[in-house]
Each structure stands twice: as C-alpha cells, then as structure tokens.
Amino acid sequence: MNFRQQCLTHLSGEPSEGRCLIIGEVAQSHDGSLGIAHSFIDAIANAGADAVKFQTHIAAEESTPGEPWRVKFSPQDETRFEYWQRMEFTTDQWAGLKKHADDRGVLFLSTAFSERAADMLSEIGMRVWKIASGEVGNVPLLTKIASSGDPVILSSGMSDWDELDAAVNTVRKNVNPLAILQCTSAYPCPPEKIGLNVLNMLRERYGLPFGLSDHSGNIYAGLAAVSLGAEVLEVHVALSREMFGPDVPASLTTTELRQLVDGSREIERMLRAVVDKDSAANDLRELRKIFTKSLVASMDIAAGTTLTAEHLKLKKPGTGLPASSIPDLIGRRVKQQVKVDEILVLQNVEI
C-alpha cells in the first residue's frame, strides 16, 4: 500500500487509481470567509484532487501581537496578529468543513500551527497531518501529532538537513506513515529554486515516501515531480487570479489544477507501463511496410550488369530489401533485366 492509499483508506469507496497524493492547498485564500472556504472544497473536488488543505490558526496560541508582517498586504488588518484572528474558525465550523470534504470524497487536511489547533483538529476527526515548514523544529507539536499514529506529511522549506533529521526521528519513534516534501519557501518560487534534485536526496537519505510542496504558480514543477516518482504533491489553489490575498501569485487556478491532476495520472500510467522495444517493433511490422523504404532500381538495369551504388535508390513501400542490404548487393551481377523503380529481390541477383 503506497502513501496515498494509507491516507485515503478512511474515505468511503475505493480511491481512484493513482500513486501520487495530490493536495489542493487553500491556505488563507478564503480570507476569513467560511462560505468561500466551503466553495474551495467543491472547486478542488471538481478538479479531481485527492485532498483539500486549510491552515488552522489560533492567534493567541501561536503568535504575539508584535509579530511582523512578511508582506504588508492587508488594508483591513493593522497587525499580522489581527489577520490571524480574522482567519480563525470555530471547532464547529472546522467540523462542517471536514464533513463537506468527506461528503465530496476528498481528504480533509488542515495544518495545525499550535498544540491547541492540533487538539481541535483531532477532535473533529482529522486523521492525516501536515507539518508546515516553520514548525519542523517545534518538537512539542511534532511529538503531539506523532503520538496519534496517523500519517504525517512533513514539509522542509525552512530546514537544513540536521533539523530535518531530528524531525524525521521524532515522528518515526511512533511508526507513523511518513512522507517528506521538498519545499522552497518563496511565493512564487522561481524555477531555479524549486529543488527537484532534492527529491532523490530525500529518497536516498530516509527511504521514505517523498514529494513536493510547490509554490511556483504553474503546473510544470508538479508534473516534473510526479515523473520523478513523487508520492505527494501539494499546490496552492485560487478560484481566480483576481482573488485577494498573499497566496494568489503562488497558486494554480482550479482549471490549472485539473490539468495538473490529469497530467499526473497520465504520467503515472506511462511510468507503470513497461514497453518491450523489440516486441513493440514486431507489433508494428505491417505499419513498417508503409513508412519504411526498400531498395529499388534507380534506372533500367540490363541483365549481366554489375551493381554499383548508382544503380540503387531507397523508396517506399518497405516490402522489399532494406537499406542494410546495400553492402551485400554492390558488386553482384543482375541475372535478369530490372526496370526503374522496380523493387529489388534476391532472385534478381547472382549469389
């Protein structure tokens, strides 16, 4: 059972075919609106993703009033602390969002940014956990989440190898199913900073499922990651590029998410299918007769003529002698007259 199947086993029905768990990340793009948050669930489900992910912020539990802005984008909130407050939902509201996701057959995820948030998400029955890049060194939060025994997805955008090693060891103590994501915390992230090379390093270092948390704002990095064997792919999603919020420039539209999902499933089909080159060529032997060429006479050739390269030409169809026969024919004598464009056969020449 791959990591995707481990995460989706609690959903009703059999998960659709696919190896990579594709997550549509809402983050703060709902801008504090419960209705918009619900609309994201429908949009991401309609796009074919496996999971919808939010972020659970409780301002007083995770932040101080003096927390600085990363980028001052909000004309509504004086401080980042006030912004986090506006992003908060109640336990019942989170439960409603989870039920909506369950009803649509998509996995509900929300990143906990405090132990209290983790308690809330556990209370509503969330059973797969995403650790944000900034929380990788938060040992108490990691320990609490790992103690559930549930699958954990660990992002690595702000961690060096030593910190990531420690986090992996903390989670592994509880034998949780664990996947590790390459992530670059840039919004949007330019191609040269995606770090596709790190995917194989994660595989070799930990021997665990790996994937990509992508902030590029297009589908290309995600498709590349799937082709390299990623088992988890997380992308930010916006209902429109005209939406408000700091995550929109690093997001896919729902139309692009559909393209990403379809492209990923096509790539997975290609990777699963083993093609035997000799067998494939044999299956196409009738087609080869149409598209390949045979040796023909480039001029009328009288009986008794010794063949030279000037007497030979390659033309369709490929029902006669192939080009590889040229060295064997040159220097041989023609037994009977051959007309221009006539396909040469071995019976025409002396052996």
Side-chain angles (χ1 to χ4, degrees):
M1 182 181 292
N2 65 30
F3 188 81
R4 177 176 180 272
Q5 291 168 324
Q6 289 176 312
C7 292
L8 298 181
T9 50
H10 76 288
L11 293 177
S12 59
E14 288 296 321
S16 60
E17 186 175 349
R19 180 168 182 258
C20 183
L21 180 74
I22 300 178
I23 304 168
E25 160 80 90
V26 180
Q28 270 62 251
S29 290
H30 54 74
D31 199 43
S33 165
L34 184 63
I36 293 177
H38 277 280
S39 70
F40 266 102
I41 294 173
D42 287 323
I44 288 171
N46 291 340
D50 297 304
V52 57
K53 192 179 85 66
F54 295 92
Q55 296 180 5
T56 300
H57 293 280
I58 304 173
E61 295 289 332
E62 69 179 73
S63 185
T64 62
E67 180 191 358
W69 289 97
R70 178 172 61 86
V71 176
K72 181 66 169 75
F73 63 89
S74 175
Q76 183 173 351
D77 310 293
E78 286 296 325
T79 66
R80 192 159 172 82
F81 186 86
E82 291 175 358
Y83 175 67
W84 294 135
Q85 287 180 312
R86 193 162 61 80
M87 295 301 105
E88 294 178 11
F89 293 137
T90 67
T91 302
D92 288 344
Q93 289 170 332
W94 281 118
L97 289 166
K98 182 182 181 301
K99 183 180 185 304
H100 187 173
D102 291 345
D103 291 343
R104 290 303 311 269
V106 291
L107 179 68
F108 173 87
L109 298 171
S110 189
T111 301
F113 283 85
S114 65
E115 292 182 59
R116 176 69 191 96
D119 289 335
M120 182 187 294
L121 293 169
S122 179
E123 183 180 335
I124 68 170
M126 195 181 81
R127 291 295 174 264
V128 178
W129 300 86
K130 168 69 191 300
I131 307 297
S133 293
E135 304 298 326
V136 170
N138 188 342
V139 176
L141 180 61
L142 281 176
T143 302
K144 173 183 277 290
I145 288 173
S147 67
S148 68
D150 297 327
V152 173
I153 301 168
L154 188 66
S155 203
S156 64
M158 299 182 186
S159 301
D160 59 20
W161 287 114
D162 288 343
E163 185 174 51
L164 195 54
D165 288 345
V168 169
N169 290 335
T170 297
V171 177
R172 271 181 155 174
K173 290 177 183 176
N174 291 272
V175 202
N176 303 69
L178 174 61
I180 307 171
L181 306 188
Q182 160 58 9
C183 174
T184 301
S185 297
Y187 309 88
C189 182
E192 60 272 16
K193 292 187 177 180
I194 293 292
L196 290 177
N197 63 297
V198 181
L199 298 180
N200 192 53
M201 297 169 74
L202 291 173
R203 174 180 15 216
E204 292 180 350
R205 191 178 188 94
Y206 301 116
L208 292 169
F210 63 92
L212 179 69
S213 177
D214 178 33
H215 303 133
S216 66
N218 60 58
I219 67 173
Y220 308 123
L223 293 175
V226 172
S227 71
L228 293 172
E231 290 195 42
V232 181
L233 176 60
E234 177 187 81
V235 292
H236 282 252
V237 180
L239 301 179
S240 164
R241 295 211 186 278
E242 285 72 44
M243 289 188 74
F244 171 79
D247 296 313
V248 175
S251 298
L252 305 185
T253 64
T254 51
T255 298
E256 291 168 332
L257 178 60
R258 176 83 262 180
Q259 293 172 334
L260 176 66
V261 171
D262 290 346
S264 297
R265 299 312 178 214
E266 284 288 303
I267 289 169
E268 289 168 344
R269 289 177 62 190
M270 296 178 215
L271 291 174
R272 284 194 300 269
V274 177
V275 174
D276 180 276
K277 193 66 175 170
D278 289 334
S279 176
N282 186 58
D283 291 342
L284 296 173
R285 58 185 178 277
E286 292 302 316
L287 200 60
R288 281 177 55 84
K289 293 176 183 179
I290 297 173
F291 284 94
T292 59
K293 295 178 178 177
S294 304
L295 285 168
V296 302
S298 63
M299 62 188 77
D300 290 337
I301 306 173
T305 300
T306 298
L307 290 174
T308 66
E310 287 72 25
H311 292 112
L312 306 176
K313 198 172 185 66
L314 285 163
K315 292 188 177 183
K316 296 176 183 176
T319 54
L321 296 173
S324 59
S325 299
I326 291 175
D328 292 331
L329 293 178
I330 291 176
R332 296 180 185 274
R333 287 197 303 168
V334 175
K335 293 193 293 184
Q336 59 192 47
Q337 182 185 19
V338 182
K339 294 183 177 181
V340 62
D341 278 346
E342 182 178 341
I343 293 177
L344 291 168
V345 293
L346 289 176
Q347 289 84 344
N348 294 136
V349 298
E350 294 179 350
I351 299 175

